[in-house]
Amino acid sequence: MPDRRTAVVVEVRARLARARAAARVRLDRATSEVEAARARLARTREIARQRPARAAAERDRRVAELGERHATGLAELAQRAAVDGALAAPGAAGEAWEGWHWAPAAGGEPAGPLRVGEVRIAGAPPVPALVPLLDHGHIALTGDHPDGIVSTVLLRALGRTRPGQVRLTGYDPERLGGGLAGFAPLAPAGLLTFVGPGGLTALLDELVEHIRRINENVLAGDYASLREMAAASGKRPEPWRVAVLLGGAHGGLLGGDELSRHERAQLDRIVRAGAACGVHLIVHGIPLPGVLTISSDGSVSEWGSLPVHLDRPPPAELVTATCRRLAERYATGPTPSSFPDLLPTEIWTENSAAGLTAPVGDSPEGRTVGVTLSDYPPHALIAGPSGTGKTNLIYAWMGALAARYDPDELEFYLLDFKEGVSFARFAPGQRDPSWLPHVRLVGVNVNTDREFGLALLRFLGRELRRRADAAKRYEVTKLAELRAEDPEGRWPRIVAVIDEFQVLLSGRDALAQEAANLLEDLARRGRSQGIHLILASQDVSGIEALWGRPALVAQFTLRIALPKARRILAETNPAAENLPRHHAVVNADSGALDANQIVRIPAAGDRRVWGDLQHRLWRERPVSLGPPRLFDGDAVPRLSSLVIDGPAPVAVLGEAIDVQAHAARLPLPRSPGRNLAVIGTQVEEACAVLGAAAWSLAQQHAPGTARFSVACLDADAATTARWLRDVLPADTGWYDEEELAEALSTWQPDPALPHYVVLFAADAAATRLAVKAPGGSGHDHLRRLLNTGPERRTHVLGWWRGVGRLRDTLGGPGSRTDSIGAWVALDVQGSDLTGFYPGQGGPVWYPRPWRALYFDRARHRTPEVIIPYGLS
Ligand SMILES: Nc1ncnc2c1ncn2[C@@H]1O[C@H](COP(=O)(O)OP(=O)(O)OP(=O)(O)O)[C@@H](O)[C@H]1O
């Protein structure tokens, strides 16, 4: 039993020991956990103790970084704003007063905002404080000292615009204009008007009426504002009106009075609708809701709390000196427009169906003055003494027209009877190959060739008939209607310019008579067919040439008088007498006094400026359009450029003086009288006519199908004879005096083989040909040839050095002349040709260098003047 008890005790003790050991282990573990927790707690406490300091440091770091970034950003923004500000308000709109001067914006440039001070922010560069006024809005001023801002804004607005473009009205009832005293020099020129106390209602009414007029007549529904109109056209048609309404010294209501309901309503209308019409208010002393407000302490509504440092006002002397200068410049008128100002931005956009309208200059106030050619007024007369600018005016007018209407809408025919080549620039030249695409004909150095003027009038007369016939076919009467009925047809308006036209009408001969009749017909009927005449003359005789024909003059309802032009306007209209240089009176009502428009004509003669336009138009010309016909009275036409066409054979004798530069041709069919006599002592001209005739015939016959025989009986003609040896067939017979006498007796005309007998100085063989021989003298054989040869295709083309000598060949003074079917007279008086001409007393002919009178009995009613060709 005890052993069991002992065993139990031992057992218990052992268990207790194990339990104690386990408890100790747990205790130790718990103890170390407690310590670890304590240590954690201590660490956490330590961390917690350190955290606010770090966060604060981090916050401070971030704040500093942001601050730095903000400062840099602000500086950059300010820098950019300063640059933008300087660009938006350049020159007079923004420059500092030191060195400031009047410098208007270029035409077409917007007015832009004006500088009143600068925005200053610490750490950033100052930014110009700009306020919009012209074309944008109004300015309200508050505070006790508005004068400085008013001076600043007004001077900058005036400095940025041309004289007269800004008109000021001052209403300053308390100080009676004292607030605008510096601007007073503008008043005498009408650029500043003061309105007295009590005048406010009338002023507001007038501004409202002005706005209404601009909307109705100027913008006319085409534009929303003058700014838009100016941007589109590059021109400002109306000045800006700036009304400065200055209130009481203490910022009270205007003049201490309340605005009436009417005034308030008018003011609101101006605030609402004024800016679009260029009407602006600068007001002190009346609240204008919604209007940019500047207070004299430097705050600007709409800009929040931005600190504005207002500029000091412009020095008083700068204001008065500038205003004085502006007034003077305004009195002498705005800068005249230049030739490029007459041109549209886009070329060839106009349609000429109803007429041709283009500016020729501007009025003294700077308003563009347009001139129209249409059914009314259809034609123009231009007059002015030499050097007053007629040619320049024509250049300006033509340039403005040519840039607007394309060559299918407008054609020019130009003739200058003056010595000189003022129209030559429109045709291709040696230095400049371009031409004005609208020009179809240019006549220069025409002074002695009145025939060319007549040819132009005949050509226009034919064109008039062609148009009238077409109109009849379509049962219409006017060009506009014809174009509507025949949209595929080409019916350009034609403008014919004849400078010094009186040359054409001078003389009491048939040519002058025919020219006057044609002019009258063209003037009367051309109006409805789109053919317009512009006649220019430098002296009164030109106009007087017309004066005897009131019906003709009456058609020229558009009159343009240059300084000192006489009799061109109505007798009672002296407007041209005191006209300044480079001005013109344009009168579209036959010179009636109240239709005068004074126009300043820009310089348009400069070759470079004109060349720029011509080249531009030339590059755009339709590919099918060739150069114009150039008739130069001083030039010799070249045979080498001649193309012979039409039924053969014809002998070409020279160039006809006509619009198409036709060759003057002598047909040589099988019929009696088809011989040619060139008569006169001018060797070169005679050789040129005869040489061209022989050459042209050789061109029309294949080798062996015609015979040529040439006798050169004057040594002076040897050069031409040598030239003919090269161009005539190789089997051509060459004869001297002796050989000719013999050959004449042997030549038997053969209808199967045309034979051309070319005699240079036929009369030089007279002595030899007079020698009697059994079958008859040489003269007998020559007369037989002349009389019977042509009907069997043998033709004599001869040169005789005088009418009497030709007569001798034909058989003496009373001999028949009908074997000479055609003649070309050189230095021969018309009266000497009596026997060779069907009319009484011979043709009217006054010999002149390198011209000849050609008459073909078979085809001519009257002879024609021709120009011999140069043989090469
Ligand atoms: N509006 C103008 N502006 C500047 N210069 C001009 C103007 N008009 C003409 N001129 C210049 O005056 C000079 C004479 O002008 P122009 O040849 O046009 O006169 P005109 O009346 O045709 O003379 P004329 O009858 O002798 O030919 C030219 O040198 C021309 O450049």
Short mmCIF file of all heavy atoms in Angstrom, two decimals, residues 385-392 418 500 538 582 601-603, ligand 1:
data_model
loop_
_atom_site.label_atom_id
_atom_site.label_comp_id
_atom_site.label_asym_id
_atom_site.label_seq_id
_atom_site.Cartn_x
_atom_site.Cartn_y
_atom_site.Cartn_z
N PRO A 385 -4.29 120.37 -120.93
CA PRO A 385 -3.09 120.77 -121.67
C PRO A 385 -1.99 119.73 -121.52
O PRO A 385 -2.04 118.89 -120.63
CB PRO A 385 -2.69 122.09 -120.99
CG PRO A 385 -3.90 122.55 -120.28
CD PRO A 385 -4.69 121.35 -119.92
N SER A 386 -1.01 119.84 -122.36
CA SER A 386 0.09 118.87 -122.38
C SER A 386 0.73 118.75 -121.00
O SER A 386 0.97 119.75 -120.32
CB SER A 386 1.13 119.36 -123.39
OG SER A 386 2.20 118.48 -123.39
N GLY A 387 0.97 117.55 -120.57
CA GLY A 387 1.67 117.30 -119.32
C GLY A 387 0.77 117.30 -118.10
O GLY A 387 1.25 117.16 -116.97
N THR A 388 -0.54 117.46 -118.27
CA THR A 388 -1.40 117.50 -117.09
C THR A 388 -1.84 116.10 -116.65
O THR A 388 -2.48 115.95 -115.63
CB THR A 388 -2.66 118.36 -117.35
OG1 THR A 388 -3.21 117.98 -118.61
CG2 THR A 388 -2.34 119.84 -117.33
N GLY A 389 -1.48 115.08 -117.42
CA GLY A 389 -1.72 113.72 -116.92
C GLY A 389 -2.81 112.94 -117.64
O GLY A 389 -3.38 112.03 -117.06
N LYS A 390 -3.07 113.26 -118.90
CA LYS A 390 -4.10 112.49 -119.62
C LYS A 390 -3.66 111.04 -119.80
O LYS A 390 -4.42 110.12 -119.54
CB LYS A 390 -4.36 113.11 -121.00
CG LYS A 390 -4.98 114.49 -120.94
CD LYS A 390 -5.18 115.07 -122.32
CE LYS A 390 -3.89 115.26 -123.09
NZ LYS A 390 -2.91 116.15 -122.49
N THR A 391 -2.42 110.89 -120.24
CA THR A 391 -1.94 109.52 -120.48
C THR A 391 -1.95 108.75 -119.17
O THR A 391 -2.36 107.58 -119.12
CB THR A 391 -0.51 109.58 -121.06
OG1 THR A 391 -0.53 110.49 -122.14
CG2 THR A 391 -0.06 108.22 -121.53
N ASN A 392 -1.49 109.41 -118.11
CA ASN A 392 -1.47 108.76 -116.80
C ASN A 392 -2.87 108.34 -116.37
O ASN A 392 -3.08 107.24 -115.87
CB ASN A 392 -0.86 109.74 -115.78
CG ASN A 392 -0.80 109.13 -114.41
OD1 ASN A 392 0.04 108.30 -114.13
ND2 ASN A 392 -1.75 109.50 -113.56
N LYS A 418 -0.32 111.17 -131.09
CA LYS A 418 0.82 112.01 -130.69
C LYS A 418 2.09 111.37 -131.21
O LYS A 418 2.14 110.18 -131.47
CB LYS A 418 0.94 111.99 -129.17
CG LYS A 418 0.19 113.03 -128.47
CD LYS A 418 0.72 113.21 -127.06
CE LYS A 418 0.74 111.98 -126.21
NZ LYS A 418 -0.49 111.61 -125.60
N GLU A 500 -5.34 112.37 -128.79
CA GLU A 500 -5.20 113.43 -129.79
C GLU A 500 -6.05 113.13 -131.03
O GLU A 500 -5.60 113.20 -132.18
CB GLU A 500 -3.72 113.64 -130.17
CG GLU A 500 -2.84 114.03 -129.01
CD GLU A 500 -3.33 115.25 -128.24
OE1 GLU A 500 -4.11 116.05 -128.81
OE2 GLU A 500 -2.98 115.40 -127.06
N GLN A 538 -5.34 117.39 -126.08
CA GLN A 538 -4.65 118.31 -125.19
C GLN A 538 -4.99 119.76 -125.46
O GLN A 538 -4.78 120.60 -124.61
CB GLN A 538 -3.14 118.11 -125.25
CG GLN A 538 -2.52 118.41 -126.59
CD GLN A 538 -1.01 118.39 -126.50
OE1 GLN A 538 -0.38 119.43 -126.60
NE2 GLN A 538 -0.43 117.23 -126.29
N HIS A 582 -2.39 116.84 -110.73
CA HIS A 582 -2.72 115.41 -110.58
C HIS A 582 -4.14 115.18 -110.06
O HIS A 582 -4.43 114.16 -109.44
CB HIS A 582 -1.71 114.70 -109.67
CG HIS A 582 -0.31 114.84 -110.16
ND1 HIS A 582 0.79 114.74 -109.35
CD2 HIS A 582 0.17 115.10 -111.39
CE1 HIS A 582 1.88 114.92 -110.07
NE2 HIS A 582 1.53 115.15 -111.31
N ILE A 601 -5.81 111.64 -108.94
CA ILE A 601 -5.43 110.51 -109.80
C ILE A 601 -4.07 109.99 -109.34
O ILE A 601 -3.12 110.76 -109.27
CB ILE A 601 -5.33 110.95 -111.28
CG1 ILE A 601 -6.57 111.75 -111.69
CG2 ILE A 601 -5.11 109.75 -112.18
CD1 ILE A 601 -7.84 110.98 -111.77
N PRO A 602 -3.96 108.71 -109.02
CA PRO A 602 -2.65 108.21 -108.60
C PRO A 602 -1.69 108.08 -109.79
O PRO A 602 -2.14 107.99 -110.93
CB PRO A 602 -2.96 106.82 -108.03
CG PRO A 602 -4.22 106.41 -108.69
CD PRO A 602 -4.99 107.66 -109.00
N ALA A 603 -0.42 108.07 -109.49
CA ALA A 603 0.58 107.89 -110.56
C ALA A 603 0.49 106.45 -111.06
O ALA A 603 0.59 105.52 -110.27
CB ALA A 603 1.96 108.19 -110.03
N1 LIG B 1 -1.55 111.64 -111.08
C1 LIG B 1 -0.23 111.75 -111.26
N2 LIG B 1 0.62 111.52 -110.24
C2 LIG B 1 1.96 111.62 -110.43
N3 LIG B 1 2.54 111.94 -111.60
C3 LIG B 1 1.74 112.17 -112.65
C4 LIG B 1 0.32 112.10 -112.55
N4 LIG B 1 -0.21 112.40 -113.74
C5 LIG B 1 0.83 112.62 -114.56
N5 LIG B 1 1.99 112.51 -113.92
C6 LIG B 1 3.32 112.70 -114.50
O1 LIG B 1 3.31 113.91 -115.24
C7 LIG B 1 3.96 113.73 -116.50
C8 LIG B 1 3.00 114.07 -117.65
O2 LIG B 1 1.91 113.17 -117.59
P1 LIG B 1 1.18 112.61 -118.89
O3 LIG B 1 2.17 112.13 -119.90
O4 LIG B 1 0.15 111.66 -118.43
O5 LIG B 1 0.53 113.92 -119.41
P2 LIG B 1 -0.29 114.17 -120.74
O6 LIG B 1 -1.40 115.09 -120.40
O7 LIG B 1 -0.64 112.87 -121.38
O8 LIG B 1 0.77 114.92 -121.59
P3 LIG B 1 0.87 115.02 -123.16
O9 LIG B 1 -0.46 115.51 -123.64
O10 LIG B 1 1.98 115.96 -123.41
O11 LIG B 1 1.17 113.62 -123.58
C9 LIG B 1 4.44 112.30 -116.54
O12 LIG B 1 5.78 112.26 -116.14
C10 LIG B 1 3.59 111.60 -115.52
O13 LIG B 1 4.27 110.52 -114.92
#
